[in-house]
Amino acid sequence: VDLDGRGGKWNLDGSAPGDGRYECRLYQRGAQKIVGFEFGADVTMDMTEKIVFPRAKEDNKGEGHHGQSSSLPSPREPERHIQFRCVDSQFFSQFDGTWKVVPLPPNPFTGEPETMVSYTVDVRPKGPVPVAALEWRIREDVPTNLRAVKRAAVERGWAVLKRRGLMLPEEWGSEEYRKKRE
């Protein structure tokens, strides 16, 4: 539902993507060649966005950022999770999991902020399927999928900035931007 007239997608309860309360139903169709067989599957999933606030530092023990063996510092911002659950699929009896986006401290070598993205999925196919090959294919596709998500997020982000009349990075040095700052 477009409640604000700007093309934003909102639930009837007023929740919107990014606010930690957004829910939607997503249909996904994929096709791959796995071990010489053409494989196609579809799944309809309920997606739920959550904002998870970090635990206290002493509860966050484990391998540190960039392989340091110390406590992982608590992120400055909360984690964002997108949980998904299969509600209908001819091929899967289970396709449930979570995407987690965790802000990290700046990289100690570059000073650039970093984000850790993780993906967990439990898959149970219906019928006889080479599960190991299916798991391998999913694992191999994660980097490609993440690059596609990043590309789409950046493109949408610039489109939002432009729609709101804000300057894009390539325009920051322009005469028009200088005049807007004065």
Side-chain angles (χ1 to χ4, degrees):
V1 178
D2 180 6
L3 297 178
D4 63 1
R6 296 181 297 176
K9 300 297 182 206
W10 298 68
N11 281 343
L12 293 176
D13 68 357
S15 64
D19 73 1
R21 302 178 301 131
Y22 190 70
E23 296 179 356
C24 68
R25 182 160 283 179
L26 176 83
Y27 173 78
Q28 181 178 334
R29 171 104 180 114
Q32 292 285 336
K33 210 171 225 183
I34 301 175
V35 194
F37 295 98
E38 191 65 35
F39 170 78
D42 60 342
V43 60
T44 302
M45 298 174 283
D46 279 342
M47 312 285 284
T48 305
E49 179 188 36
K50 302 273 185 216
I51 295 178
V52 178
F53 292 90
R55 296 175 295 181
K57 192 173 182 178
E58 57 272 6
D59 291 342
N60 213 4
K61 302 286 184 205
E63 185 176 319
H65 187 51
H66 291 287
Q68 302 162 354
S69 59
S70 62
S71 295
L72 190 76
S74 292
R76 293 186 186 118
E77 298 178 35
E79 297 178 5
R80 295 184 178 270
H81 296 187
I82 299 174
Q83 299 167 336
F84 53 94
R85 185 180 58 80
C86 175
V87 292
D88 184 44
S89 177
Q90 204 170 10
F91 193 79
F92 299 109
S93 60
Q94 182 180 11
F95 197 96
D96 306 344
T98 305
W99 284 94
K100 292 182 182 180
V101 179
V102 180
L104 297 174
N107 182 301
F109 304 106
T110 66
E112 294 291 320
E114 293 191 339
T115 302
M116 179 175 55
V117 178
S118 63
Y119 174 68
T120 305
V121 62
D122 292 321
V123 178
R124 286 205 175 89
K126 294 178 180 175
V129 172
V131 175
L134 181 60
E135 288 173 343
W136 175 83
R137 182 77 260 166
I138 290 171
R139 186 173 36 258
E140 287 293 308
D141 285 345
V142 168
T144 301
N145 293 343
L146 281 174
R147 284 190 291 275
V149 167
K150 178 182 178 181
R151 189 171 38 255
V154 168
E155 288 171 5
R156 287 180 144 215
W158 293 136
V160 167
L161 289 176
K162 197 165 196 156
R163 199 168 54 242
R164 293 180 181 168
L166 301 172
M167 302 299 286
L168 301 177
E170 62 267 14
E171 301 170 311
W172 289 347
S174 70
E175 181 70 20
E176 182 183 351
Y177 182 67
R178 189 184 58 71
K179 286 179 183 176
K180 283 189 174 188
R181 288 185 311 192
E182 294 174 348

